[in-house]
Amino acid sequence: GTNGPLFGRTALVTAGPTHEPIDPVRYLANRSSGKQGFAIAEALAKLGAEVTMIAGPVALATPADVKRIDVQTALEMARAVDAALPADIAILSAAVADWRVDAADQKIKKNGGTAPGLKLVENPDILATLAKSDHRPTLLIGFAAETEKIIEHAQAKLARKGCDWIVANDVSGDVMGGDRNTIHLVTTQGVEAWPTATKAEVAARLANRIADALH
Ligand code: C5P
């Protein structure tokens, strides 16, 4: 609310997967429920931030007091992020497809046992682009979904992408689509191991941590 510690701050959140069309009826996508990103948008709004959430295709209700912009593809998400700037805080939790397809205008038909080849084109890295932008948010946070060497990979990603924090997510277990998450918060200062908690609890803790950092 208006007396929350993030009142007067703007926040941008990306959430969910992107869908990259192959033809009018098929797509490539990453596995992502969007639950953690939606919970983060909700938690930031609860602390008083003015939140814009750019969501890929997911069937989740819009959290209270969050402005939601729905997109399908990585290119649409990149444009929507650009249009939502400036923002004090950006949390890019979306599982963006690394490649898009040079899509066919008409449905691809089966052709006597010959599978079609897909020509893939690299998508822009929204996080890395934002890190270099003139409108770089004060606090820029990325996600890393890892199955091994979680901290090493997250520290490398922090440096490579030029963000301030990485929320490193251990996806070796049953995280995808589930309601709990095991997080390491990796910053340039060090690493915090957070206890396994619900996605709502992780979001609340992250929002409080952000409020402290901006104080
Ligand atoms: O490189 P990787 O996909 O593992 O990085 C994950 C982080 O980068 C996440 O914060 C994700 O939202 C962001 N990302 C992005 N644009 C991409 C790929 C990843 O913003 N094209």
Side-chain angles (χ1 to χ4, degrees), residues 15 20 26 39 69 101 175 180 204:
E20 309 298 328
R26 305 183 178 96
I69 298 166
V101 185
V175 176
R180 294 171 76 77

Side-chain angles (χ1 to χ4, degrees), residues 3 6 9 29 33 51 64 66 74 115 120 146 148 158 160 184 188 190 198 200:
N3 52 10
L6 289 176
R9 306 281 192 175
S33 70
V51 182
V66 168
L120 300 181
E146 307 287 356
E148 54 160 6
L158 185 79
R160 191 168 67 242
H184 285 78
T188 48
T198 66

Side-chain angles (χ1 to χ4, degrees), residues 14 92-94 96-98 124-127 142-143 157 160-161:
T14 68
L92 301 198
S93 72
V96 183
D98 290 316
D125 189 314
I126 301 168
L127 177 58
F143 267 67
K157 195 160 291 184
R160 191 168 67 242
K161 304 252 186 180

Side-chain angles (χ1 to χ4, degrees), residues 88-128:
D88 298 312
I89 306 152
I91 304 169
L92 301 198
S93 72
V96 183
D98 290 316
W99 304 282
R100 64 181 174 276
V101 185
D102 190 4
D105 294 335
Q106 305 296 330
K107 183 179 175 186
I108 301 168
K109 307 301 284 181
K110 277 188 278 190
N111 177 23
T114 313
L118 293 182
K119 184 170 174 288
L120 300 181
V121 182
E122 194 163 320
N123 274 328
D125 189 314
I126 301 168
L127 177 58

